[in-house]
Amino acid sequence: MTDHARSPRTVLAACCVPWDDTGALVEPLFRDSIAGLAAHGLRDLYVFGTAGEGYAVDEPRFDHVVDVFADEARRHGVDPMVGLISLSLPAVIGRIERCAARGIRSFQLSLPSWGALNDAELATFFAETCGRFPEAAFLHYNLGRSGRMLTPDDYATLAAEHPNLVAVKHTRADYATVHRLFARAPQLRHFFTEAMYSYASLVGPAGFLVSIASVHPRLAREYFEAGVARDTDALMATCAELLDLSAALRRAVGPGPHMDGAFDKVFARMHDPRFPLALLPPYQGASDDAYEAFRGALRAHHPRWLEPS
Ligand SMILES: N[C@@H](CC=O)C(=O)O
């Protein structure tokens, strides 16, 4: 399989941020969680996607979390990637400048979401981020919450215009879109979550955006490697398990919480029982009961996902 992508084929993992009752960062827990992911072989880490509550932090929290994240990531030889979610382009630019001053060069861009960008606005957004910071590398986070899902043709145009646009995180893509992404924008590394990774890795050099599989990092890595090896049987078997795990998680958490962090913090607590489930206000996290119900479901139906990694 040919691979012309500008960034390595890896497993990309989100870091959740533990907050205390006052909404302050619990630094030791955060450091331990980063160290734990790195030690388990998840070494392409980012903070401030949806699970990392990049949409909810103010500037002082942003700077504090970035300082700790970058410091701890580098201790483990991990290149820190920082997500940028804001309605304000100047705020995004300011965050990139402050990160760049700390030596950070990998960023995750999301489109401003108050109103879906039109084509001219989209071009301006990328010119003012990728174009303005040519020494940095950017991954685009393609999600419905931003109001506009970019298409394979959009990526072909943007990748030709911006050599430092290197990757995309896809949260939703159908089979036809997967094929067109590899055909129209092969320069970009396309990352897919559990359900679509199985198919995408059979038809192109897909990256794996790990979500629920992070409850067991070794099995997550094996799933990724099955995709690299195009081992259809292993992919399908693990994909079926992961879909079942996701359904169990949704049942356990129930209908209230709806931001990714509510779910991802359950995964973080599986690795460290001290990890708080709370999200920054006004958003609702999962409850302790939901966490216990999910663990119980794994114990009953998928015990291998609970074994030591
Ligand atoms: N939960 C991830 C995205 C995966 O769908 C994130 O928070 O960035």
Side-chain angles (χ1 to χ4, degrees), residues 14-89:
C15 291
C16 291
V17 186
W19 310 111
D20 70 14
D21 293 345
T22 69
L25 174 68
V26 188
E27 186 174 324
L29 281 188
F30 188 43
R31 285 186 181 276
D32 287 353
S33 68
I34 296 162
L37 290 169
H40 281 106
L42 298 180
R43 305 186 54 79
D44 288 85
L45 302 179
Y46 64 91
V47 72
F48 291 150
T50 313
E53 299 167 86
Y55 55 87
V57 285
D58 53 7
E59 302 312 300
R61 280 189 186 85
F62 178 90
D63 289 348
H64 184 196
V65 170
V66 164
D67 279 335
V68 176
F69 175 62
D71 182 61
E72 191 62 33
R74 287 175 179 143
R75 271 177 211 271
H76 303 281
V78 166
D79 177 37
M81 179 192 287
V82 175
L84 307 158
I85 303 178
S86 175
L87 295 180
S88 156
L89 179 58

Side-chain angles (χ1 to χ4, degrees), residues 1-5 9 151-153 155-156 168 170 173-192 196-208:
M1 186 180 291
T2 51
D3 187 349
H4 304 293
R9 186 175 187 183
T151 65
D153 288 344
Y155 285 121
V168 185
H170 297 280
D174 57 22
Y175 294 148
T177 302
V178 168
H179 283 280
R180 281 187 63 73
L181 287 166
F182 290 128
R184 297 286 291 127
Q187 316 93 311
L188 304 181
R189 177 68 60 204
H190 297 286
F191 287 91
F192 300 90
M196 190 48 85
Y197 175 74
S198 54
Y199 182 81
S201 63
L202 293 173
V203 299
F208 178 29

Side-chain angles (χ1 to χ4, degrees), residues 206-277:
F208 178 29
L209 171 57
V210 65
S211 175
I212 197 161
S214 67
V215 300
H216 199 300
R218 180 175 55 75
L219 296 180
R221 284 208 60 85
E222 284 177 15
Y223 186 52
F224 170 66
E225 295 299 344
V228 174
R230 297 165 90 187
D231 179 342
T232 313
D233 288 350
L235 279 170
M236 294 304 140
T238 306
C239 187
E241 283 183 287
L242 291 167
L243 292 173
D244 215 40
L245 257 58
S246 296
L249 178 65
R250 298 223 162 253
R251 276 195 301 275
V253 171
H258 59 105
M259 300 304 272
D260 297 21
F263 303 95
D264 288 62
K265 284 184 169 177
V266 169
F267 313 150
R269 185 176 278 191
M270 307 276 288
H271 298 296
D272 185 342
R274 301 169 301 167
F275 206 95
L277 298 174

